[in-house]
Amino acid sequence: MEKFYGSNFCILKWQGIFIKIFAVLFIWLAVNAAFTSRAIAADFQIQPMTMELGRNAKSGVFSVINNGNEKIDFQVSVQEWTQDEKGKDVFAETQDIVFFPKVMFVEPNSQRAIRIGLKAPLSVKEKTYRIFVQEIPTPKKVPDDPSKAIKAGVTIAFRFSMPIFVKPAAPQESYAINKIEMSRGAVKALVSNTGNVHVKLRTVKFIGKSNNGEEIFSKEVAGWYILHGLTLPYTTDIPQELCAKLAQIDVSAQTENENITGTLNVKNDMCTQ
């Protein structure tokens, strides 16, 4: 009886080893298939990356370019695009933009156009939308030679999203760093867009200086779009060993057109409270 139990234990042990080996092999295949799919998906692109409509341009064209060796199917949609108070993108159905086609395919080494038209009248503030071009996965072709099996893999469908900006009748750009604050070693800069069009921040840079003006800390944070009427925070943490040495923090936000700046005079309790 004891010997029989030991044999079962050995069998279960070997089964566990085979299961682990199979799991690792499956993950390896999935990862390799994913990277292969990404390489194939990179064979198509969309131009331009953004579109501006307005008084002088009521329509436009996006070109979907297939640089690969296989036909690619796509589904197209357009949604209104706004942001919440934290900068998170919010999308909603819209009838303001007309577009064609909604489903399409692009042959290898060729391109097709997606035509965009503005249906709604211009507003006093910029209206923003995004066009989504979704790749539709297609089953792999059965090879003519039966001896050539279809390779197993994971299919990854990519979706591209490009902004469409509808300019108001009288565009006005206005933005600033309206507040810089620090608490417990974390510094936060609030960047406000008070104009009626979007602003795109390339980067937000924090530079900490000592009493003698020496730069002892530097951190660059990636920027993004700030739609009209919004104030978005950009933050970074100051290392504890440097925080007590800071006398001021200079913040610069680089937009597409200019650089806006602000300064915070650091107090001792900002590192601890």
Side-chain angles (χ1 to χ4, degrees):
M1 191 74 177
E2 186 176 348
K3 184 178 180 181
F4 178 74
Y5 176 83
S7 299
N8 280 341
F9 176 77
C10 292
I11 292 171
L12 290 173
K13 184 177 179 181
W14 278 108
Q15 285 179 339
I17 293 173
F18 282 127
I19 290 172
K20 288 181 181 179
I21 294 173
F22 178 78
V24 171
L25 180 61
F26 177 80
I27 293 171
W28 182 84
L29 288 172
V31 170
N32 277 274
F35 278 107
T36 302
S37 297
R38 286 180 180 272
I40 295 173
D43 285 339
F44 75 88
Q45 58 184 303
I46 301 173
Q47 296 178 351
M49 294 304 296
T50 63
M51 180 178 292
E52 290 190 359
L53 302 178
R55 177 179 295 176
N56 299 322
K58 298 294 180 67
S59 62
V61 172
F62 285 101
S63 296
V64 182
I65 306 168
N66 181 2
N67 297 316
N69 298 319
E70 296 183 6
K71 182 188 76 170
I72 306 177
D73 297 320
F74 297 96
Q75 183 173 342
V76 185
S77 62
V78 173
Q79 291 187 317
E80 185 178 5
W81 167 41
T82 56
Q83 293 173 321
D84 64 16
E85 66 278 2
K86 295 182 180 180
K88 183 179 179 181
D89 293 335
V90 179
F91 301 105
E93 298 297 327
T94 183
Q95 300 296 324
D96 295 347
I97 302 291
V98 293
F99 61 97
F100 179 83
K102 295 184 178 181
V103 177
M104 61 185 290
F105 64 86
V106 183
E107 296 288 354
N109 299 308
S110 61
Q111 65 181 43
R112 286 192 62 182
I114 302 174
R115 303 189 183 279
I116 305 294
L118 178 61
K119 185 178 179 181
L122 299 183
S123 174
V124 295
K125 296 180 179 180
E126 181 181 63
K127 300 200 70 175
T128 48
Y129 308 87
R130 277 190 175 270
I131 180 171
F132 297 92
V133 181
Q134 171 79 50
E135 179 186 5
I136 301 174
T138 55
K140 295 184 178 181
K141 295 180 180 179
V142 177
D144 296 331
D145 185 355
S147 63
K148 296 180 180 179
I150 301 175
K151 294 183 179 180
V154 178
T155 301
I156 298 177
F158 285 83
R159 183 173 75 164
F160 285 79
S161 170
M162 285 71 62
I164 300 173
F165 300 105
V166 179
K167 296 294 184 181
Q172 295 178 345
E173 291 187 0
S174 178
Y175 38 82
I177 300 174
N178 66 2
K179 188 177 183 180
I180 306 172
E181 56 189 12
M182 187 167 76
S183 176
R184 296 183 179 181
V187 58
K188 177 169 65 175
L190 298 176
V191 183
S192 296
N193 179 2
T194 56
N196 65 355
V197 294
H198 75 281
V199 58
K200 184 177 182 181
L201 296 185
R202 296 187 182 277
T203 59
V204 178
K205 190 172 186 179
F206 298 84
I207 296 178
K209 297 180 179 179
S210 62
N211 281 318
N212 61 8
E214 179 187 1
E215 180 180 318
I216 60 175
F217 173 79
S218 179
K219 180 66 178 292
E220 195 169 85
V221 179
W224 190 235
Y225 291 105
I226 304 178
L227 302 185
H228 65 78
L230 290 178
T231 297
L232 300 185
Y234 291 86
T235 63
T236 190
D237 293 323
I238 308 294
Q240 188 175 3
E241 65 273 14
L242 296 178
C243 194
K245 301 177 183 180
L246 290 176
Q248 74 178 53
I249 297 175
D250 295 331
V251 181
S252 61
Q254 180 65 53
T255 72
E256 293 180 301
N257 301 318
E258 62 178 301
N259 193 45
I260 54 178
T261 60
T263 298
L264 172 70
N265 294 319
V266 178
K267 298 179 181 179
N268 292 332
D269 60 357
M270 290 180 176
C271 296
T272 57
Q273 297 181 4

